[in-house]
Amino acid sequence: MREKETRITIYDVAEKAGVSKSTVSRYLGGRFHELSPKTREKIKRVIDELQYRPNNLARGLKGNRSYLIGALVADITNPYTTAILRGAEDVCKQHGYSLLICNSDNHPSKEREYISMLQSHKIDGLLIQTTGGNQHFLRDLSENGRKPIVLVDRKIPELPFDTVGIDNRQATIQAVSYLLQQNYRRIAFFTEPVAGVSPRRERFAAFQEALRMADPEHPSLTDAFEVDLANDSQLDSLLETFLTRTGRETKAILAANSVVALKIIIKLKEKGIRIPDDLGFLSFDNPDWAAAVFSGISTIEQPTYQIGKTVAELILKRMSDPQAAIQTISYQTQLIERASTPRV
Amino acid sequence: MREKETRITIYDVAEKAGVSKSTVSRYLGGRFHELSPKTREKIKRVIDELQYRPNNLARGLKGNRSYLIGALVADITNPYTTAILRGAEDVCKQHGYSLLICNSDNHPSKEREYISMLQSHKIDGLLIQTTGGNQHFLRDLSENGRKPIVLVDRKIPELPFDTVGIDNRQATIQAVSYLLQQNYRRIAFFTEPVAGVSPRRERFAAFQEALRMADPEHPSLTDAFEVDLANDSQLDSLLETFLTRTGRETKAILAANSVVALKIIIKLKEKGIRIPDDLGFLSFDNPDWAAAVFSGISTIEQPTYQIGKTVAELILKRMSDPQAAIQTISYQTQLIERASTPRV
DNA sequence: TTGTAGGCGTTATCAC
DNA sequence: GTGATAACGCCTACAA
């Protein structure tokens, strides 16, 4: 017994305005110079009255475009990620696009499922922080689907895609040099499992490189740890290892991202270890809690919002010019000094 | 000189499998019992070979559905929000839906623009944490568009929509009672501007109600403050007001959400005010930094992930049964005691 | 069990 | 400047 559904179509507008669908379509397409002022005015009025909204599905079917941009990220719950999405969204909105956001959860299989789903939706472009496990599918989407793909944060050199992120090597070297310069003798690097994730790999390698630059046999060359964040006791024992191993030497921890940093900090609190009295601390990313923990945690800030904007801009640009040269944009990071890394 | 685009359609599958489009369509629709095992097998093979993905736009155009669910939130950058989205996404994915996420930024005008955009995309349902300023448009979307709308977090009693959130009155009363019981004489309540936002309004009112329950003339009845987070000096002076006004009485702050809480905490750090030595502290939400600040901040936890799941489930349910009775689901909160609220 | 013939709401290509 | 008409890819009667 449900009422009839009222869908207003271009036809309704045409009829009420006393013109043909084509004419209305011209209006919708913004081709005003092809219309007489009179009809243009009339159509405008009718659209308002009827509250008509063009159907994107129909538009997309015809033009093979959806006005949708996919955003496939590892974890929407990570503040780093949301800042990027915010930037991307603002740009997209300005250009009439919406964002289809999906979480791969760092699982290649989930990522693959979503790629497939996004393909079904005929997304016009894809922003992806990839697990690295679906190169074949991405290549296919790009080549056969002819959809612009832009990688954020994580690179895949073999793939011919625009990429936006930071210079992880440089940022890490800057971080380590800074800690060294602040006179910390031992430095531990904590990261999530490096696996195939490029920023992690690059930061890990650069950590050792920076140490070697200072001293080819630097004792902390063995102080790089990969932690599984789901495994609480592992982090505990790794931390313990570092602390006992280094005895009374001056020491600091460099966390590869803010999630790792927070886990470690909570553990330190539990253990009664104080920052910076007992231990220096520096973290990648610049989460908003950094100023609130201990007397402030020093961080390496990425221009996340800007990164998101740039990604979206690259997608849009490549949509209009598929042949444009492929580029990798690396933003500079900024070291924000707070109380966690005093000179010792 | 671009290569021809390869779009694989149902027609290609049909041809290669030696059957008609309808037959393939039946396969896609999962109506296997209408197919002979042989053709079924053949179609399956061809689909795999061709890597065929049905076009959602075409599907949607015919069936007037998009397999898209809109999520219109105030701020995707807020951890409370992302936890909810995460829950909603997981449910949606399971049922073949994707999430179109948009930020209203708490601006009714932006919200309206997005509602319109989402309508164009023919979303099959809407999850909304509303600014409260677009009742007319929402009603229209619901009535004429016949799309299920579920409100999260923020209620609008006048609108006939399912709603999911917490019992703000009860949670606030519990919070205040707890602080009173811990022997704090003065309690300040800090919230973002109440305006038309229901949880803020409810918490604000319940704060005073709880105080009155304890003492009809409780001195803190005037200690409820609305702060504009963009205005740093305002927060500063409000804080100062409270601290001087209360002199040496025992006191605590109740923050209406984690964003306000963090701002206040950073201010306190700047001022050298310690928690809990100088001041007790309790916050709504349970951000992951709560355990890392001072010796831990007590919080009122909402089951955010569960809330998100429930919202999505309600949307799906109402899609299949539009006549189902409208319900409001209020989850219970949990008070998590940490070191910031000792008995004084 | 399978095939044929529309039609969903748009845009693009012709005419007029 | 405007109006028919044919797609776009899929689904759903209705036939066979």
Side-chain angles (χ1 to χ4, degrees), chain A residues 117-342:
Chain A
M117 204 168 203
L118 292 170
Q119 265 177 303
S120 273
H121 283 293
K122 298 291 165 190
I123 49 165
D124 294 336
L126 178 64
L127 169 169
I128 181 169
Q129 177 188 31
T130 180
T131 64
N134 291 300
Q135 307 197 10
H136 170 71
F137 290 87
L138 291 176
R139 178 165 260 137
D140 179 71
L141 174 56
S142 167
E143 285 174 5
N144 297 322
R146 311 201 83 67
K147 301 303 181 188
I149 298 180
V150 177
L151 305 178
V152 218
D153 184 34
R154 307 177 181 179
K155 312 176 177 140
I156 302 191
E158 308 92 66
L159 254 28
F161 299 148
D162 294 314
T163 303
V164 184
I166 61 165
D167 184 334
N168 287 290
R169 177 171 172 274
Q170 195 224 274
T172 309
I173 290 179
Q174 185 193 6
V176 174
S177 307
Y178 167 72
L179 290 173
L180 254 18
Q181 191 182 304
Q182 296 296 74
N183 238 353
Y184 292 97
R185 173 70 185 139
R186 287 295 209 108
I187 302 173
F189 179 71
F190 281 87
T191 177
E192 290 184 75
V194 166
V197 183
S198 75
R200 297 183 193 165
R201 194 190 333 110
E202 290 165 11
R203 291 173 196 179
F204 193 99
F207 169 72
Q208 317 223 66
E209 181 186 350
L211 290 177
R212 279 202 205 88
M213 276 164 47
D215 171 0
E217 315 242 295
H218 196 288
S220 279
L221 281 167
T222 55
D223 291 336
F225 304 100
E226 295 182 67
V227 295
D228 172 8
L229 291 185
N231 183 341
D232 202 63
S233 66
Q234 186 210 26
L235 173 58
D236 200 49
S237 77
L238 257 25
L239 223 38
E240 209 53 63
T241 302
F242 175 65
L243 293 173
T244 60
R245 175 196 287 177
T246 54
R248 305 182 37 116
E249 296 178 276
T250 58
K251 47 181 161 283
I253 285 180
L254 174 58
N257 70 44
S258 72
V259 180
V260 173
L262 191 54
K263 288 269 188 196
I264 295 175
I265 286 169
I266 290 173
K267 264 271 171 290
L268 293 174
K269 288 251 175 187
E270 282 173 26
K271 291 174 173 301
I273 295 170
R274 293 159 309 163
I275 292 174
D277 316 65
D278 305 321
L279 186 67
F281 203 101
L282 178 61
S283 173
F284 268 87
D285 302 344
N286 183 32
D288 48 15
W289 51 257
V293 168
F294 287 106
S295 302
I297 300 293
S298 300
T299 56
I300 297 151
E301 183 182 43
Q302 305 186 38
T304 41
Y305 181 81
Q306 178 60 50
I307 289 175
K309 280 184 64 172
T310 304
V311 173
E313 280 159 7
L314 282 179
I315 292 176
L316 295 173
K317 184 167 135 208
R318 190 161 291 281
M319 277 172 42
S320 56
D321 177 11
Q323 306 302 329
I326 293 165
Q327 53 185 318
T328 294
I329 297 181
S330 295
Y331 280 100
Q332 268 213 320
T333 52
Q334 194 182 347
L335 185 80
I336 299 181
E337 282 194 75
R338 296 198 182 87
S340 67
T341 51

Side-chain angles (χ1 to χ4, degrees), chain B residues 76-277:
Chain B
I76 198 190
T77 262
N78 185 325
Y80 167 79
T81 308
T82 53
I84 287 177
L85 289 174
R86 199 57 153 78
E89 191 208 357
D90 286 353
V91 170
C92 286
K93 175 175 197 299
Q94 259 179 330
H95 294 263
Y97 287 84
S98 300
L99 233 40
L100 217 39
I101 299 177
C102 315
N103 285 288
S104 72
D105 228 356
N106 272 322
H107 292 320
S109 62
K110 258 188 149 180
E111 182 176 83
R112 183 160 53 252
E113 283 173 43
Y114 271 125
I115 291 173
S116 180
M117 202 169 205
L118 291 170
Q119 265 177 303
S120 272
H121 282 294
K122 298 291 164 190
I123 49 165
D124 295 337
L126 177 64
L127 169 169
I128 181 170
Q129 177 189 31
T130 182
T131 64
N134 291 299
Q135 307 198 10
H136 170 72
F137 291 86
L138 291 175
R139 177 165 263 137
D140 180 71
L141 174 57
S142 166
E143 286 175 5
N144 297 322
R146 312 201 83 67
K147 302 301 181 188
I149 298 179
V150 176
L151 305 178
V152 218
D153 184 34
R154 306 177 180 178
K155 312 178 178 142
I156 302 191
E158 308 91 66
L159 253 28
F161 299 147
D162 294 314
T163 304
V164 184
I166 61 165
D167 185 334
N168 287 292
R169 177 171 172 275
Q170 195 224 273
T172 308
I173 290 179
Q174 185 193 6
V176 174
S177 306
Y178 166 71
L179 290 173
L180 253 19
Q181 193 182 303
Q182 294 297 75
N183 237 353
Y184 292 97
R185 173 70 184 138
R186 287 294 209 107
I187 301 172
F189 178 71
F190 281 87
T191 176
E192 290 185 75
V194 166
V197 183
S198 74
R200 298 183 192 165
R201 194 190 333 112
E202 290 164 12
R203 291 173 196 180
F204 193 100
F207 169 72
Q208 317 222 70
E209 180 184 351
L211 288 177
R212 278 202 205 89
M213 276 164 48
D215 171 0
E217 316 242 293
H218 196 287
S220 279
L221 282 167
T222 55
D223 292 337
F225 304 99
E226 295 182 67
V227 295
D228 171 7
L229 291 185
N231 183 341
D232 202 64
S233 65
Q234 185 210 28
L235 173 58
D236 200 50
S237 77
L238 257 25
L239 222 40
E240 209 53 63
T241 303
F242 175 64
L243 293 173
T244 59
R245 175 196 286 176
T246 54
R248 306 182 36 117
E249 296 179 276
T250 58
K251 47 180 161 284
I253 286 180
L254 173 60
N257 71 45
S258 72
V259 180
V260 173
L262 191 55
K263 289 270 188 198
I264 295 175
I265 287 169
I266 291 173
K267 265 274 171 286
L268 294 175
K269 289 250 174 188
E270 282 173 24
K271 291 175 174 301
I273 294 169
R274 293 160 308 165
I275 291 174
D277 315 65

